[in-house]
C-alpha cells in the first residue's frame, strides 16, 4: 500500500503564493508519476500538473507560467509552487501517484485533498 499526505493549503489574496507538498509512504517499489489534480465547486476534477520520475512535466494551460511542480525521487515527495494566484484557482487540490506497491500490482493512489482558497 502507498499513502499520500498533502499539506500547504490555505487562504490567500489574489496575487499571493502558496506551496503545496505531498509525501508518499508505505510499501513502495517504484513511483512512475506524481502529480496534482484539483476540483472546484460544480466542476470536474482536472489535472493541474504532473511530473514523471524521469523529469518530464506537463501543466494545464491555465496555470502555465504561474505554477511549478517539483519532485524529489529519493524522498518520494512532490510539491506545487503556486504564484500569482487567481480566484479561479480556488479548489480542493489532490496529490496523485501512479505507483507499484508490489511486484505484480501497479495502481493509482490519491491523497485526502487540501483546500486552496483565493479571495480578497
Amino acid at each position: 500500500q502507498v499513502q499520500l499526505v498533502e499539506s500547504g493549503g490555505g487562504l490567500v489574496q489574489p496575487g499571493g503564493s502558496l506551496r503545496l507538498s505531498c509525501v508518499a509512504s508505505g510499501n513502495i517499489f517504484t513511483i512512475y508519476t506524481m502529480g496534482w489534480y484539483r476540483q472546484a465547486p460544480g466542476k470536474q476534477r482536472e489535472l493541474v500538473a504532473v511530473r514523471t520520475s524521469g523529469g518530464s512535466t506537463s501543466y494545464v494551460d491555465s496555470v502555465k507560467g504561474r505554477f511549478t511542480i517539483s519532485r524529489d525521487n529519493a524522498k518520494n515527495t512532490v510539491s506545487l509552487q503556486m504564484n500569482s494566484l487567481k480566484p479561479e484557482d480556488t479548489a480542493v487540490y489532490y496529490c496523485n501517484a501512479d505507483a507499484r506497491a508490489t511486484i505484480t500490482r501497479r495502481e493509482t493512489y490519491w491523497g485526502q485533498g487540501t483546500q486552496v482558497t483565493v479571495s480578497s
Side-chain angles (χ1 to χ4, degrees):
Q1 292 290 332
V2 176
Q3 294 81 43
L4 304 177
V5 179
E6 306 107 327
S7 62
L11 173 65
V12 297
Q13 294 185 338
S17 298
L18 282 175
R19 184 176 179 87
L20 306 182
S21 297
C22 175
V23 180
S25 62
N27 188 17
I28 302 172
F29 282 88
T30 186
I31 300 178
Y32 300 97
T33 304
M34 297 190 77
W36 293 92
Y37 289 71
R38 68 184 180 186
Q39 187 165 22
K43 294 186 177 181
Q44 300 277 358
R45 186 175 298 187
E46 68 173 348
L47 175 66
V48 179
V50 295
R51 188 177 181 93
T52 69
S53 59
S56 178
T57 60
S58 296
Y59 298 89
V60 66
D61 287 344
S62 60
V63 308
K64 288 181 178 178
R66 301 188 297 118
F67 291 11
T68 302
I69 187 170
S70 60
R71 179 175 171 179
D72 187 330
N73 293 332
K75 297 181 179 180
N76 292 322
T77 62
V78 64
S79 298
L80 186 68
Q81 179 66 46
M82 305 185 294
N83 298 325
S84 301
L85 284 163
K86 304 175 180 179
E88 50 263 44
D89 294 319
T90 296
V92 177
Y93 285 70
Y94 297 90
C95 181
N96 170 272
D98 175 23
R100 183 178 295 278
T102 70
I103 294 176
T104 61
R105 193 171 185 86
R106 177 175 173 175
E107 297 182 349
T108 297
Y109 299 88
W110 294 92
Q112 79 284 355
T114 185
Q115 177 70 48
V116 172
T117 302
V118 185
S119 179
S120 298

